[in-house]
Amino acid sequence: MCVRGPRSCPQSASVVVLFVVRRHELTDESWAVIEPLLAPPRMGRPVRDRRQVVNGILWKLSTGAAWRDLPERYGPWKTVYERFRRWSADGTWDRLLAHVQQHSDAVGAVDWTVVCVDSTTVRAHQHAAGARKGGQDWPGEALGRSRGGLTTKIHLACDGEGRPLAFTLTAGNVNDCTQFEQVMARIRIQRCGPGRPRTRPERVAADKGYSSMKIRTYLRRRGIKAAIPERIDQINGRIRRGESLCRLDRAAYRRRNVVERCFNKLKHNKALATRYDKRARHYQALVTLACLRLWLP
């Protein structure tokens, strides 16, 4: 638990008030990184403290509770929800994540030696169903029916240190390999100076679900090495045709567990481990916010 410095009470010099930063709230270092991108409007009536609003959204992300149950210390729940909905619609969370990634890459904190790609399935709560049909950004609001019921799948790429670089959302019954190129295309970290965004790692590690000729050709065309093992049917087919087997960089493939650890950290947030949001864009904003927390100091 982080404690801010004491502030003297005006009524009595002997009384000291301590301001406690709770576990899910932003520290002073984290707030200093994202504060410039959350500048208040220059004109109009005064707005509620932005840090208080962001901490309220983080409380929702951490607990998974309903917006109406937001503690009073974060202000009116309607204000916090409307701010979250507005920032989700205008791409504020995406800009914050891109800004933090750019800052980390500038100081050499992003591990580009190997990028790991995988997916995880998230069970959807019964409240996540029943969204109105009009104005959908995703077909079916990224909800698919599988053996366990309604589910959503997060397809994610992380760097060698297990920090998320990019992700996509689909219904839970979508095959992993169909989203590989979309996830890789979303890896774009701007440079602080002139130059194109950083998009290509040295190699990509993934499990057998991504072993296809299309994916290997895509990586070869971009000059990226693949650390993807072949399935047994592919190995048997090569043996029948008298072809040589693909060489697997086992040292790079052993590092694939970082993406599993990344999913574990993301799912510490109850609003992400179980989907309660009807709209896919709101759930995507929560995933982006959870990814942002892993990058912040």
Side-chain angles (χ1 to χ4, degrees), residues 213-226 238 246:
M213 185 60 66
K214 181 180 179 181
I215 290 178
R216 295 182 188 275
T217 303
Y218 170 81
L219 294 175
R220 191 181 305 112
R221 187 171 61 249
R222 299 189 62 192
I224 304 174
K225 299 179 182 178
R238 285 181 178 272
C246 290

Side-chain angles (χ1 to χ4, degrees), residues 37 85 87 111 197 220:
L37 297 182
R85 188 176 64 84
W87 286 343
D111 187 357
R220 191 181 305 112

Side-chain angles (χ1 to χ4, degrees), residues 104-122:
S104 299
D105 187 49
V107 298
V110 180
D111 187 357
W112 290 97
T113 57
V114 57
V115 164
C116 304
V117 181
D118 205 350
S119 68
T120 185
T121 301
V122 177

Side-chain angles (χ1 to χ4, degrees), residues 20-38:
V20 179
V21 178
R22 293 170 174 83
R23 178 170 55 90
H24 58 272
E25 296 181 352
L26 294 174
T27 61
D28 293 337
E29 294 79 7
S30 299
W31 175 245
V33 175
I34 67 175
E35 181 182 12
L37 297 182
L38 293 175

Side-chain angles (χ1 to χ4, degrees), residues 252-263:
Y253 183 70
R254 279 195 291 267
R255 299 182 60 184
R256 196 188 65 82
N257 64 87
V258 297
V259 69
E260 304 292 349
R261 299 204 301 267
C262 179
F263 282 132

Side-chain angles (χ1 to χ4, degrees), residues 97 154-157 165-169 183 186 284-285 287-288 291:
L97 179 59
I154 304 174
H155 307 263
L156 182 137
L165 295 173
F167 71 92
T168 61
L169 290 183
V183 173
R186 288 175 178 264
Q284 183 193 38
V287 178
T288 304
C291 293

Side-chain angles (χ1 to χ4, degrees), residues 2-62:
C2 178
V3 181
R4 297 188 199 175
R7 180 182 296 177
S8 59
C9 182
Q11 285 124 1
S12 175
S14 61
V15 178
V16 176
V17 180
L18 295 179
F19 295 88
V20 179
V21 178
R22 293 170 174 83
R23 178 170 55 90
H24 58 272
E25 296 181 352
L26 294 174
T27 61
D28 293 337
E29 294 79 7
S30 299
W31 175 245
V33 175
I34 67 175
E35 181 182 12
L37 297 182
L38 293 175
R42 296 182 180 180
M43 302 179 61
R45 61 182 182 181
V47 297
R48 183 165 294 276
D49 181 24
R50 293 162 295 149
R51 184 170 180 176
Q52 181 187 32
V53 171
V54 174
N55 285 333
I57 298 172
L58 292 177
W59 179 89
K60 157 70 175 177
L61 173 67
S62 177

Side-chain angles (χ1 to χ4, degrees), residues 118-154:
D118 205 350
S119 68
T120 185
T121 301
V122 177
R123 181 73 179 271
H125 194 268
Q126 59 181 353
H127 294 166
R132 294 183 179 179
K133 302 300 182 182
Q136 291 185 355
D137 297 328
W138 281 267
E141 294 293 350
L143 285 174
R145 190 167 298 278
S146 57
R147 184 177 300 177
L150 292 177
T151 54
T152 296
K153 185 173 286 189
I154 304 174

